[in-house]
Amino acid sequence: MAARLSVVIPALDEADNLARLLPELLGAAHLVERVIVSDGGSRDGSAALARRLGALVIEGASGRGAQLGRGVAAAGPGWLWLLHADTILQPDWAAALAACLGTADPGRAYYARLRFASPRRRARCAEAMVRARCALFALPYGDQSLLVRGALLEAVGGVPALALMEDVALARRLGRRRLAAMKLVVTTDAAAYERDGWLRRSAGNLWRLARFLAGGDAGRMAGGYRR
């Protein structure tokens, strides 16, 4: 029997997204052993909804890094798929993920190719910037998802308990040699880019990344960050 995995989803007021995403994940029982929703104090019924749909719910304080850490701890040492609640899965997601899982090196972590849920040309430019960042600096973001064994996460010190930039900090812990792209495309919500403007949002993300890599405090940056 092929290996199955646990999906870990950090959530904060994500009821609408979970209502769409969880049935897709739980419907792929040949691949997904369980879905763990790590809730950070939602007020929109996210936790109750996730339980009703069949997910295991872990509750605690908010903060994506800490939420992921609790979910990973509950999942154990096997294969995990760290996934954002606003991810939109492609029709072939299960086949693509299973293909990667079938040949995956347990000593490496795998990230997906990112698309934005927008028809705009600026969205395609932003996607090209994401590909360049991954190729040049080995810094996939959390909205690209991450396929990784819990044992490997434990070996590198786990998911950093940061309120912001936990994905960048985790990528640095894993290092370039442990990171690889997989032939899977995930789509992420583009509402923040449409709201703030594509250029302004992208520039702001680059500025925060530069500050963090230069030693900036992620907690302070999180205070002014609007998702």
Side-chain angles (χ1 to χ4, degrees):
M1 183 177 178
R4 293 196 298 166
L5 52 80
S6 296
V7 183
V8 178
I9 304 172
L12 182 61
D13 295 328
E14 295 281 6
D16 290 344
N17 286 323
L18 291 173
R20 169 188 48 78
L21 181 61
L22 292 183
E24 292 186 82
L25 294 170
L26 292 164
H30 65 289
L31 175 64
V32 176
E33 183 174 2
R34 58 182 170 175
V35 177
I36 300 170
V37 173
S38 184
D39 190 78
S42 296
R43 298 181 180 182
D44 67 346
S46 290
L49 172 69
R51 287 192 182 96
R52 188 163 63 249
L53 291 175
L56 170 65
V57 177
I58 308 295
E59 296 185 78
S62 63
R64 187 171 280 164
Q67 289 175 237
L68 281 168
R70 291 192 293 269
V72 167
W79 282 105
L80 314 177
W81 193 24
L82 310 186
L83 191 67
H84 284 185
D86 64 353
T87 301
I88 301 168
L89 301 176
Q90 302 294 308
D92 65 345
W93 73 270
L97 191 60
C100 181
L101 191 62
T103 60
D105 179 348
R108 303 187 84 183
Y110 300 84
Y111 57 88
R113 180 173 175 174
L114 186 69
R115 284 182 185 164
F116 288 100
S118 170
R120 295 178 183 270
R121 182 175 297 178
R122 289 182 179 181
R124 309 290 82 80
C125 292
E127 291 163 4
M129 290 175 63
V130 171
R131 292 194 295 273
R133 187 189 67 233
C134 292
L136 294 173
F137 305 111
L139 289 177
Y141 282 179
D143 52 14
Q144 293 174 253
S145 78
L146 193 70
L147 177 66
V148 60
R149 285 187 64 85
L152 177 57
L153 288 178
E154 183 178 2
V156 301
V159 180
L162 300 175
L164 191 67
M165 294 291 176
E166 82 292 334
D167 44 6
V168 173
L170 177 56
R172 296 181 77 189
R173 285 186 179 183
L174 288 165
R176 179 181 292 275
R177 289 183 297 175
R178 292 193 185 102
L179 285 165
M182 56 180 164
K183 293 180 180 179
L184 171 70
V185 176
V186 294
T187 301
T188 193
D189 182 44
Y193 287 85
E194 300 286 3
R195 179 193 68 216
D196 299 343
W198 284 89
L199 183 58
R200 181 181 178 186
R201 184 78 180 187
S202 297
N205 288 342
L206 286 174
W207 173 236
R208 279 183 288 271
L209 174 61
R211 288 173 60 197
F212 179 72
L213 294 178
D217 184 88
R220 290 185 179 182
M221 284 187 276
Y225 180 68
R226 186 181 179 192
R227 295 192 184 278

